[in-house]
Amino acid sequence: MDVAIGGMKAAAGGSTSVIVSGKKAEALSGNGNTLTADGVNGITVRAFTDEEIYSVLASVTAGKESSGKVGGTIAVLVTDSITTARLGQGTRAYANNGAINVTAENRTKMMPIDLSIVGGKAEVAVNGIVIVDIYRNYVNAIVEDGSDLYAKKDILVSALADIFNITP
C-alpha cells in the first residue's frame, strides 16, 4: 500500500506490482518403451500443474487544496507454464484389462485486487487503475509416431487448460 500526501502545489501517489510465475511438469515415457498393465486400472501417464496468483494493491493520494492530484495503481500478473504428458516414439502400451490415459492438465487462478483513491480539493484530479494479466500456458498430451496402443477399455489422450480470472 502506498500513501502520498502533498502540499499546496500538488499531490501524487501510486503503487505498482509485477508478479511472474512459471512452472513445468512433464510425465514422459521415453522412446521405444513397452508398458504393460494387467490390472483393471490400466496405464495412466498424467502431468498436472496448479497455480494461484493473488495481487492486492492500494494507493491513497490526498492533500490540502492544490492545483492537481494524481494517483493510481498498476498490477502486472504473468503466468508461464508448460504441462506435458507424452508417450515417446515407438512406445508399446498394453492395458490388458483396463484403459490407457495420457492426460495433461493445467489450472490457473489469477486474482488482482486494486484500489486507488485521490482525495482533497483540487483544480485537476487524475486517478487510474491498470491491470495486465498475461497467460502463457502450454498444455500438451502427445502420443508420438510409431506407437502401438492396446486397451481392453478406453484410450484417452487429453489436454485441458482451466483458467479462472477475477478482474474487477
Side-chain angles (χ1 to χ4, degrees):
M1 178 170 170
D2 176 62
V3 176
I5 299 175
M8 294 299 287
K9 301 276 183 187
S15 298
T16 60
S17 171
V18 177
I19 300 172
V20 179
S21 171
K23 290 187 176 188
K24 184 175 184 176
E26 296 179 309
L28 309 172
S29 172
N31 296 339
N33 283 343
T34 299
L35 308 173
T36 303
D38 291 324
V40 294
N41 291 330
I43 297 169
T44 298
V45 178
R46 181 175 186 251
F48 177 74
T49 52
D50 186 15
E51 52 195 329
E52 295 185 9
I53 303 171
Y54 298 94
S55 170
V56 178
L57 285 176
S59 174
V60 177
T61 303
K64 297 179 180 180
E65 185 175 339
S66 63
S67 59
K69 292 181 177 45
V70 178
T73 62
I74 299 172
V76 179
L77 288 79
V78 180
T79 176
D80 193 356
S81 66
I82 301 170
T83 310
T84 304
R86 175 189 328 241
L87 293 178
Q89 279 187 331
T91 295
R92 306 287 181 246
Y94 305 101
N96 297 322
N97 293 307
I100 297 175
N101 294 300
V102 180
T103 306
E105 184 177 355
N106 169 270
R107 291 186 190 154
T108 300
K109 181 178 185 179
M110 291 172 75
M111 187 181 310
I113 299 171
D114 288 21
L115 170 68
S116 182
I117 298 172
V118 173
K121 188 174 179 183
E123 292 177 20
V124 177
V126 178
N127 192 23
I129 294 174
V130 176
I131 299 172
V132 179
D133 295 336
I134 300 172
Y135 295 90
R136 289 188 300 239
N137 293 355
Y138 303 95
V139 184
N140 309 291
I142 302 166
V143 176
E144 292 191 6
D145 293 341
S147 294
D148 182 21
L149 309 180
Y150 166 79
K152 184 172 184 179
K153 295 182 181 176
D154 299 329
I155 296 174
L156 174 67
V157 179
S158 67
L160 172 68
D162 185 15
I163 296 174
F164 178 76
N165 184 345
I166 295 180
T167 301

